[in-house]
Amino acid sequence: MILQVDNVTKQFGGLTAVKNVTFGLEEGEILGLLGPNGAGKTTLFNCLNGVYAPTMGRIIFRGQDVTGYRPYRVARLGLARTHQIVRPLNELSVRENVVVGACYGREGLGLRAATRVADEVLELVGLHERSHQLASSLNVAQKKRLEMARALASHPYLLLLDEVLAGLNTAEVMGMLATIRKICERGVTIIMIEHIMHAIMNLSHRILVLNYGELIAQGAPAEVAQDPVVIEAYLGNPEMAEKLLEEEEI
Amino acid sequence: MSAWRQPGLWLPLLLVAAAAIWPAFGNNASLRETIFTMLMSVALASSLNILLGYTGYVNFGSIVFFGLGGYLGFYTVSALGWHLLLAVPIGGVAAATLALLLGSAVLRLRGAYFALATIGINEAMKALVINLDFLGGPTGMNLNFSIYQEYGGPAQALWLTYWALAVITLLVIVVSYLVKKSKFGLGLMAIREDEDAAEVMGVVAPRAKTTAYVISAFFPGLIGVLFFFKNGIIEPESAFRLHLSVELLVMVMLGGAGTVLGPVLGAAFYQRLRGLLLTSELFKNTQLVVAGVLLLLIVLFIPAGAVGWLRHRFAPLRRLLE
Ligand SMILES: Nc1ncnc2c1ncn2[C@@H]1O[C@H](COP(=O)(O)OP(=O)(O)OP(=O)(O)O)[C@@H](O)[C@H]1O
Ligand SMILES: [Mg+2]
C-alpha cells in the first residue's frame, strides 16, 4: 500500500469540501478521481500534498504519517502533483522550471544531474524544442505539459494529476494519454482527476467518485459507470450524465 | 573553477576593479572619496539584489544592517580599541545574526506587508540605539583622533578602509554570481516566481528565504563598519537613513533586478547622476524626488531594468550579461 487515506475531512469555515474520505492505493495503480464541479477533488489533492492540513483524518504515505506536513516535505518524500490552474515559473526558462522539480524533488539532485533529468523529461512530454523559451511564452496545452514535466522530474513514487487533459484538443489529449501510460509503465503510481470520461475510463484501474465532498462510489470503471448513485450525482449536470451513459454503451 | 571563464562573472568584476584602482594613481584622495561612495553603493545594491532580485522580497529597510554593523564595529574600534579589520567581521556577523533572528518571522509576510515590516525593523533598531547609552544614545559616538596611530596616521587609515571596501565589493559580486548560478539560487528564483508552487516542488522556502536574507544582511554589516570608521562619527540618524534604502532600491531596479551586472551599473549610474545633481543648486534638495520619479519610470516602462531589457532585446547578449 503506497497511500492510505483515513477519514480525511477538510472544512473551509462552514463549508465541508471533503468529508470523511477513506481509501487505499496500491503501488503501480492508476486511480481515477471523478466528481461534478466543486465536489472537492482538488481540495483532496491539496490535503494529500500538504497545501492544506486536513481538518480531521490521517494520511499515510509509504508507511509514514504525513498528515499536516508542509508541501515541500511531502514533495521530498516522493509525492508530486500538477495544478489544475497552471502555475508556471514565468520568468524562468522551460528547462529551468523542470530543473527545479529535479533539484528539489525526491532525489534532491545537484544542478548538473538535474539538468540531465530535465532534458530527458522534456523529451518525454514533447517540450524539448522549447526548453530555452521562457515559461510565460507557452500556450495552455504546453503549460499543462510543463506542469507534468516538473512533477515527473522529481522522480516521484506517487503522481497527482489534476485535469491535465482539460482544454486540450483531441490530438493533444491522445498525446497526453500516451505519456501518462508511459509514466505508469515506469512504475509511478498515479491518481488523476479528469472530466473527460473516455480518457479516465480507459486509463484507470479503479475509480473513486466524489460528490459534495463525500466518496459516493468506488470500483472498476465499468461498475462505477453503471452505479445508479453516480448517475444520479451527475444528473444535476445532464451533459455529464449523458457522457457517462455513452460510456456504458461502448 | 569554470565560473571564472564566464563573462557574466568577470565583466562586473573587471568594471569594479578598474574603478577601484583608479584613485591609486597619483594618490588622489578626492577621487577616492567619489569611488568609495560608488563602490559602497555597488556592494549594498548587489546585496539587496539577492533578496529583492533573486527572491522577490522587497526590502525597504535594508539599511538597518548597514547601521547595525556600523554601530557595533564602531563600538569595537572606539571603545574596545580593536583593529578595524577585526571590527569589520563583527559588524557583518551582527547584521547576519539580526537577519537570522528576524528572518523566520518577518519573511512569512509577503508583498507590501513584508516591505512595511522591514521599514519597521529599521525604525525600531534606530529607536533602540537611541536608548542605548553605551552606543552614545541620540548623539552617537566619535572616533578619538589617536586611534589612527595604529594605522600609521589618518591618511593610511583611509586608504586601508578604501581597499577593504574594494575587496568586499568584489567579494559581493562573486557571491552574487555564485548564488545566481547555484541550485540554491534557482530555488530562490522559483520562490520569486511563485512561492506556493516552489514549495509544492519541494523548495524549502522558509529556509531558503532566511538564508538569502542573512547573506543580503551580512555584507552591508561589513560595509557599515568601514563607512563609519572613515567618517569618524556615527549617530542614529545617519546610520539608519531610510532614504538610503530607497535609493538602493532605485539602483537595483534601474540596472536590473535579478541580474549580477544590473545593480553594479545601476549603482554607478545613480551615483554619477546624484553627483551631478548635487552640484546644481536647483536639484540639491530634490534628490529624493528624482529617485522617486526614477523609480516610477522604471517600474512603468522598464520593469526589468537596463540589463534585463538588454538581455530581453538582444539574445546574443544573454551569454555576456548575467
Ligand atoms: N481555499 C478555499 N477556501 C474556501 N473554499 C474553498 C477553497 N478551496 C476550495 N473551496 C471550495 O471547496 C469546494 C470544493 O472545491 P474543489 O476545488 O476541491 O472542487 P473540484 O472538485 O476540484 O472542482 P472542479 O471540478 O471545478 O475543479 C468548492 O465549493 C470550493 O468553492
Ligand atoms: Mg478541481
Side-chain angles (χ1 to χ4, degrees), chain A residues 49 51 70-72 75-76 79 81 83 87-92 96-97 99-101 103-105 108-111 150, chain B residues 2 181-194 196-207 312 318:
Chain A
N49 91 313
V51 172
R70 302 283 309 149
Y72 46 79
R76 282 298 169 92
L79 196 162
R81 71 170 291 176
H83 294 98
R87 306 187 77 151
L89 308 173
N90 280 319
E91 294 295 309
L92 298 184
E96 284 168 325
N97 266 263
V99 171
V100 174
C103 272
Y104 289 95
L109 299 175
L111 270 185
R150 286 194 320 204
Chain B
S2 65
K181 291 289 160 184
S182 68
K183 172 174 164 178
F184 165 61
L186 183 65
L188 296 183
M189 290 185 270
I191 291 172
R192 176 188 73 200
E193 294 303 315
D194 185 335
D196 295 324
E199 287 202 343
V200 165
M201 282 189 272
V203 178
V204 187
R207 197 171 65 204
H312 188 73
R318 275 174 217 168

Side-chain angles (χ1 to χ4, degrees), chain A residues 36 228-242 245:
Chain A
V229 185
V230 176
I231 295 171
E232 200 183 315
Y234 277 102
L235 280 183
N237 186 341
E239 198 190 338
M240 283 290 204
E242 204 172 292
L245 292 172

Side-chain angles (χ1 to χ4, degrees), chain B residues 180-300:
Chain B
K180 176 153 194 195
K181 291 289 160 184
S182 68
K183 172 174 164 178
F184 165 61
L186 183 65
L188 296 183
M189 290 185 270
I191 291 172
R192 176 188 73 200
E193 294 303 315
D194 185 335
E195 186 163 344
D196 295 324
E199 287 202 343
V200 165
M201 282 189 272
V203 178
V204 187
R207 197 171 65 204
K209 286 188 295 184
T210 304
T211 311
Y213 194 45
V214 167
I215 296 173
S216 80
F218 177 69
F219 294 106
L222 302 177
I223 295 162
V225 181
L226 295 174
F227 179 78
F228 290 104
F229 177 82
K230 177 182 82 84
N231 271 10
I233 176 169
I234 189 168
E235 36 188 28
E237 288 303 329
S238 63
F240 302 101
R241 262 180 304 167
L242 203 56
H243 77 78
L244 194 54
S245 269
V246 178
E247 289 183 301
L248 290 172
L249 278 170
V250 178
M251 295 176 206
V252 175
M253 298 293 295
L254 187 68
T259 66
V260 179
L261 184 61
V264 177
L265 296 184
F269 177 82
Y270 184 85
Q271 286 302 354
R272 185 85 193 94
L273 183 71
R274 192 164 163 273
L276 292 176
L277 293 186
L278 278 182
T279 56
S280 134
E281 265 316 306
L282 181 62
F283 287 113
K284 209 165 187 170
N285 298 313
T286 57
Q287 44 164 309
L288 261 192
V289 177
V290 173
V293 171
L294 214 51
L295 189 58
L296 194 66
L297 291 177
I298 300 162
V299 170
L300 286 177

Side-chain angles (χ1 to χ4, degrees), chain A residues 12 15 17 36-43 52 84 163 195:
Chain A
F12 296 108
L15 174 86
N37 289 103
K41 306 178 294 295
T42 299
T43 304
Y52 300 140
Q84 178 177 356
E163 300 200 18
H195 282 306

